[in-house]
Each structure stands twice: as C-alpha cells, then as structure tokens.
Amino acid sequence: SPRSTERSRRVLNHPESAARAARGNHEGPIDVLDLVEHGHGVPVGVLALGEGLAGAYLRRPRGALILVNGTEATVRLRFTLAHELGHHVLAHSQSVDTAAELRDPVRPMEIEANRFAAELLVPVRAVPSTGHPVGLDDIVELAAAFGISAPAALFRFVAAGAVPRDRERRLRVELEEGAHLDLRHRL
C-alpha cells in the first residue's frame, strides 16, 4: 500500500527509526547476534580479520553476510555487529570497515550505520534520567547494563540531552585518562 511504502521510506531515511523498528518493543539490552542471525536472517562469521579491520557487510547472490573481527573486545564486537546490521537494514552497499572508520566515520553510509548501531544498542528512550549531573558512575552503570563501552555510554547520555557540552568535554577527558576503570571493575 502507498502508506506502508511511505513508512518504509521514512524508516530507511532515519537510521534511529530503523534501529527502533529492528529492535521492536524491547527497551533493555539485546542479544545482537541473535537479532542479526535469527531476526534478520543474516549469517555472521567471527574471524581474525587482521589488525585494524573491525568488520564487513557483504552482499552475495545467496544473501548477505556479516563478518566481525573476533580478536576485538566484546563491547567493540557488539558495536561492530550492530553497525554491520545497520548497513543491511539501511540497504547500503557492501562495506569493509576499519576500527578507525567506526570511531570517526566520514562517509555518509558509515555515519548512518553508526547512528543505527548506537540506537539499536541503547535506545535514547532507555537512557536513565539521573536527577543529578551525569557522572562517571552513571556512565559506567549504563555501559555495564547494555554491554557497551564507557565512551559509547557517554555518547548516549549526550544524545538523550542529559549532558551539557561543557560537562561532556570534562567527562570525555576523564574517560580518556581512565578515571572510570576502577569503578568499572567494581561493577
């Protein structure tokens, strides 16, 4: 129907909407691998891809395939897998992604896949309202709850409008200095 076609077009033009549709009504942490393989029917290969390579989204005649670098940390694997699913859901072309490109994307389809991955892993509506200025403890708790890195958790608090720019800069410096590591180990 014209209405469903228009809705599909709107979802594909907005990575966050596409991520919310992909995750369904579930607001808590998700099993990304299960969602990719069973929810979207895309097989995943976990391989040692080589230094600097994070993952790949491949379109083949028999169907799509996602590869992720199994030598990466679990939080990195989860983000890469969500990113590669973003390429699939957003109908992007094939992509071989380096860790550097995922951290600081330039190409529009990589930016879209990152936006998709961030919303898929931690929907903005699931970011807790703290009632106080967001601190490292809040960041580490969100990261632990959703299986993401502390910098990614800070990004989600910023996306939810819970952290002003000046506070974001201070928190980012603290994270870069490793001020959150003891707290992370205690949790």
Side-chain angles (χ1 to χ4, degrees):
S1 81
R3 177 179 271 181
S4 64
T5 302
E6 177 59 29
R7 183 179 183 284
S8 296
R9 203 172 303 128
R10 273 188 285 124
V11 166
L12 292 178
N13 288 333
H14 300 287
E16 293 83 1
S17 297
R20 286 189 291 277
R23 103 188 312 279
N25 293 328
H26 190 71
E27 288 193 24
I30 59 169
D31 181 336
V32 183
L33 181 60
D34 183 63
L35 179 66
V36 171
E37 290 192 322
H38 298 109
H40 291 274
V42 180
V44 175
V46 180
L47 309 165
L49 295 178
E51 191 173 331
L53 289 178
Y57 172 66
L58 306 171
R59 289 189 172 272
R60 308 169 305 153
R62 294 181 312 211
L65 173 67
I66 290 175
L67 302 174
V68 293
N69 191 342
T71 65
E72 297 288 330
T74 303
V75 294
R76 170 58 38 207
L77 281 170
R78 285 175 49 77
F79 187 85
T80 301
L81 187 53
H83 175 96
E84 303 306 339
L85 177 62
H87 286 311
H88 179 72
V89 170
L90 298 169
H92 290 163
S93 60
Q94 293 194 143
S95 181
V96 175
D97 298 312
T98 66
E101 287 172 318
L102 292 181
R103 272 191 306 277
D104 192 20
V106 176
R107 295 183 296 159
M109 78 176 200
E110 298 304 333
I111 293 168
E112 288 179 350
N114 268 7
R115 288 173 47 201
F116 176 94
E119 183 68 15
L120 183 77
L121 293 173
V122 185
V124 166
R125 67 179 184 242
V127 175
S129 175
T130 64
H132 60 269
V134 172
L136 287 180
D137 54 339
D138 302 305
I139 292 168
V140 171
E141 286 174 11
L142 183 66
F146 282 88
I148 61 174
S149 68
L154 172 58
F155 178 78
R156 297 316 288 158
F157 274 112
V158 170
V163 177
R165 280 282 180 218
D166 61 330
R167 180 110 180 106
E168 176 191 0
R169 283 189 288 276
R170 285 193 306 262
L171 288 168
R172 192 168 306 282
V173 167
E174 289 179 40
L175 291 174
E176 288 169 1
E177 292 173 349
H180 66 293
L181 296 177
D182 282 342
L183 182 58
R184 185 182 76 186
H185 291 299
R186 281 184 286 173
L187 288 176

